[in-house]
C-alpha cells in the first residue's frame, strides 16, 4: 500500500492573486501607452502585489487562510501517520500468523482500505473548501478595489487606471498604489469599527 498518497495542502500565494487580477486587466503595450499620453489621457497604475501585502483586509484574510491550511495539513498528516501505523501493524500480524482465519485477515485489510479511502476523501474535501475560500477572497478583494477606485476617481478624473503587472513599462509618476492602499485601509478601518459598534449594540440589546 502506498505510503505517500497525500500531497500537501497550501494557500495560493500572492503570485496567483496577481495572475487572477491580470486576467481581468486589459493588457497595454508601450505603443498604446505612448499614444494615450500624447492624446492627453490621464493614466495611473496600481501594483497589485503591494496592495495584497499592505491592505489590512487582504493581510487578515491571507493570515486566516494560511492558518486553515496549516490546520488541514496537520489533520491530514496525523491521519496519514495513523494509517501507516495500522498498515505496519497489519503486516506484522500477518507475517506472525496473528490472524485466526483468512476471513479475519481479509476483514482487517478491508478496514484499512476503507480508512485509506476516507482519508483521501477528507483531503479532497479540505482542498475544495480552501480553494472555495480562496476564490471568495480574491473576488472580495477585486470588488473592494473596484468600488474604491470608482469613488476615488470621481475626484482624480483618470481616464484609465491599470494593473501594473499588465503593462510592459510605466513611468513611476503614474503610480498611485500607496494612495490607493492608504484610502482602502482608511475605509476598511471605518467599516470594521461600524461593524463592531453594531455588534456591541446587538449584544447589549440581547442582555437587556
Amino acid at each position: 500500500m502506498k505510503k505517500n498518497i497525500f500531497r500537501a495542502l497550501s494557500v495560493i500565494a500572492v503570485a496567483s492573486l496577481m495572475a487572477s487580477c491580470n486576467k481581468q486587466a486589459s493588457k497595454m503595450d508601450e505603443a498604446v501607452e505612448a499614444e494615450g499620453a500624447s492624446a492627453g489621457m490621464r493614466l495611473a497604475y496600481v501594483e497589485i502585489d503591494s496592495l495584497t501585502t499592505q491592505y489590512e483586509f487582504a493581510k487578515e484574510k491571507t493570515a486566516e487562510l494560511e492558518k486553515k491550511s496549516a490546520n488541514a495539513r496537520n489533520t491530514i498528516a496525523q491521519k496519514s501517520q495513523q494509517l501507516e501505523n495500522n498498515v505496519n501493524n497489519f503486516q506484522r500480524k500477518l507475517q506472525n500468523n496473528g490472524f485466526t482465519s483468512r476471513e479475519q485477515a481479509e476483514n482487517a485489510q478491508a478496514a484499512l482500505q476503507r480508512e485509506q479511502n476516507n482519508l483521501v476523501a477528507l483531503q479532497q474535501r479540505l482542498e475544495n473548501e480552501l480553494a472555495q475560500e480562496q476564490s471568495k477572497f480574491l473576488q472580495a478583494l477585486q470588488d473592494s478595489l473596484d468600488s474604491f477606485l470608482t469613488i476615488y476617481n470621481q475626484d482624480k478624473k483618470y481616464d484609465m487606471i491599470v494593473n501594473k503587472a499588465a503593462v510592459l513599462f510605466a513611468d513611476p509618476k503614474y503610480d498611485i498604489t500607496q494612495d490607493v492602499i492608504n484610502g482602502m485601509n482608511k475605509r476598511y478601518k471605518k467599516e470594521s469599527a461600524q461593524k463592531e459598534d453594531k455588534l456591541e449594540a446587538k449584544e447589549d440589546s440581547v442582555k437587556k
Side-chain angles (χ1 to χ4, degrees):
M1 190 177 293
K2 296 180 180 179
K3 295 183 179 180
N4 298 320
I5 61 174
F6 308 105
R7 65 182 184 277
L9 299 169
S10 63
V11 177
I12 301 175
V14 172
S16 68
L17 174 61
M18 293 173 62
S20 175
C21 293
N22 289 346
K23 291 179 181 178
Q24 301 178 40
S26 297
K27 292 187 177 181
M28 298 173 56
D29 58 17
E30 295 177 4
V32 172
E33 183 178 1
E35 181 180 353
S38 63
M41 290 181 64
R42 282 176 51 78
L43 305 176
Y45 68 80
V46 176
E47 292 186 350
I48 299 300
D49 56 341
S50 297
L51 178 66
T52 57
T53 57
Q54 297 181 48
Y55 180 29
E56 290 301 321
F57 167 74
K59 290 165 61 177
E60 291 174 7
K61 290 300 295 183
T62 297
E64 180 182 326
L65 288 171
E66 287 176 347
K67 182 177 180 180
K68 289 183 178 181
S69 179
N71 290 338
R73 288 198 303 270
N74 290 337
T75 297
I76 294 300
Q78 291 172 3
K79 291 185 177 295
S80 180
Q81 183 61 54
Q82 183 61 53
L83 174 60
E84 185 175 340
N85 292 340
N86 292 342
V87 170
N88 292 335
N89 290 336
F90 169 81
Q91 291 175 340
R92 282 195 296 268
K93 192 172 182 179
L94 189 64
Q95 292 171 357
N96 296 327
N97 297 320
F99 294 104
T100 57
S101 66
R102 180 185 181 89
E103 181 180 5
Q104 186 183 41
E106 290 176 346
N107 289 338
Q109 187 175 21
L112 287 175
Q113 185 62 53
R114 288 193 297 273
E115 185 178 355
Q116 176 182 323
N117 293 341
N118 290 338
L119 187 51
V120 171
L122 175 62
Q123 181 194 9
Q124 292 176 342
R125 179 173 63 82
L126 292 175
E127 286 179 335
N128 290 337
E129 289 176 356
L130 285 170
Q132 290 174 2
E133 290 195 40
Q134 179 73 17
S135 179
K136 290 180 180 179
F137 161 56
L138 293 176
Q139 187 59 57
L141 179 59
Q142 185 66 54
D143 291 344
S144 179
L145 177 59
D146 290 344
S147 64
F148 175 81
L149 289 179
T150 298
I151 298 173
Y152 174 84
N153 204 43
Q154 289 177 356
D155 293 329
K156 299 298 182 178
K157 306 297 183 183
Y158 288 110
D159 295 297
M160 187 178 296
I161 300 176
V162 300
N163 177 3
K164 171 67 180 303
V167 181
L168 295 177
F169 171 79
D171 193 301
K173 69 182 180 181
Y174 297 119
D175 187 358
I176 60 170
T177 303
Q178 197 58 53
D179 199 20
V180 170
I181 291 173
N182 293 340
M184 292 182 72
N185 277 334
K186 182 178 179 179
R187 183 181 66 171
Y188 180 65
K189 290 178 181 179
K190 181 178 179 180
E191 292 175 347
S192 297
Q194 290 175 343
K195 289 180 180 179
E196 291 180 2
D197 291 342
K198 289 181 179 179
L199 181 60
E200 290 178 359
K202 184 177 181 180
E203 291 177 349
D204 291 340
S205 65
V206 172
K207 291 179 181 179
K208 294 179 180 179

